[in-house]
């Protein structure tokens, strides 16, 4: 039967071989991670360039023939008017009540009567 020292020596030798075998994997993993980060950094400019090409008249089919795949991330299309400027243009914020009434008065009902008509009708019957 082997002694405790012999068992520990075998264990260390086995562990050293395992670590040596993992070394190349660790190096490749580090390179791979770096390349994936570089690729991710290109997603946004690629998407913009693709959309710009479409805006210039290229079809997705033509771009595919050139080897350009549809981008995973397309740039966000922003409207020319932001929400805050739209509120200013309307003269009201979205939560403001119309003149002379509650905000519910502007909401049409499912039966064709406005909410303020129902309130008036309900008050007359009660």
């Amino acid at each position: 039967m082997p002694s405790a020292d012999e068992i520990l020596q075998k264990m260390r030798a086995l562990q050293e071989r395992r670590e040596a075998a993992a070394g190349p994997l660790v190096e490749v993993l580090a390179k791979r991670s770096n390349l994936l980060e570089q690729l991710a950094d290109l997603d946004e400019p690629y998407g913009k360039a693709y959309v710009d090409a479409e805006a210039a008249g290229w079809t997705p089919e033509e771009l595919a023939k050139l080897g350009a795949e549809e981008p995973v991330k397309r740039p966000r299309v922003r409207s020319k008017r932001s929400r805050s400027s739209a509120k200013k243009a309307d003269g009201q914020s979205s939560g403001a009540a119309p003149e002379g009434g509650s905000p519910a008065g502007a909401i049409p009902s499912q039966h064709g009567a406005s909410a303020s008509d129902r309130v008036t009708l309900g008050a007359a019957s009660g």
Side-chain angles (χ1 to χ4, degrees):
M1 181 149 177
S3 70
D5 286 336
E6 291 172 332
I7 294 172
L8 286 173
Q9 279 184 332
K10 288 180 181 179
M11 181 195 67
R12 287 184 188 117
L14 180 63
Q15 187 64 23
E16 286 175 13
R17 285 193 299 262
R18 291 175 63 190
E19 286 180 23
L25 176 63
V26 170
E27 289 177 22
V28 171
L29 281 172
K31 289 178 184 176
R32 184 175 186 271
S33 176
N34 186 18
L35 289 172
L36 288 172
E37 286 178 19
Q38 290 178 25
L39 184 61
D41 290 343
L42 291 174
D43 281 346
E44 186 177 337
Y46 178 78
K48 184 181 180 329
Y50 189 95
V51 169
D52 289 347
E54 283 182 315
W58 289 90
T59 66
E61 293 79 19
E62 291 170 328
L63 292 170
K65 287 179 184 176
L66 296 174
E69 298 174 1
E70 189 155 352
V72 174
K73 291 184 178 179
R74 286 181 167 266
R76 287 187 176 180
V77 178
R78 296 181 188 231
S79 66
K80 293 182 181 180
R81 216 167 68 167
S82 69
R83 290 182 186 176
S84 61
S85 64
K87 288 178 184 178
K88 290 176 187 173
D90 292 343
Q92 299 176 351
S93 66
S94 60
E99 280 188 44
S102 72
I107 302 171
S109 80
Q110 295 177 351
H111 303 292
S114 72
S116 59
D117 290 343
R118 286 194 308 277
V119 170
T120 305
L121 292 172
S125 65

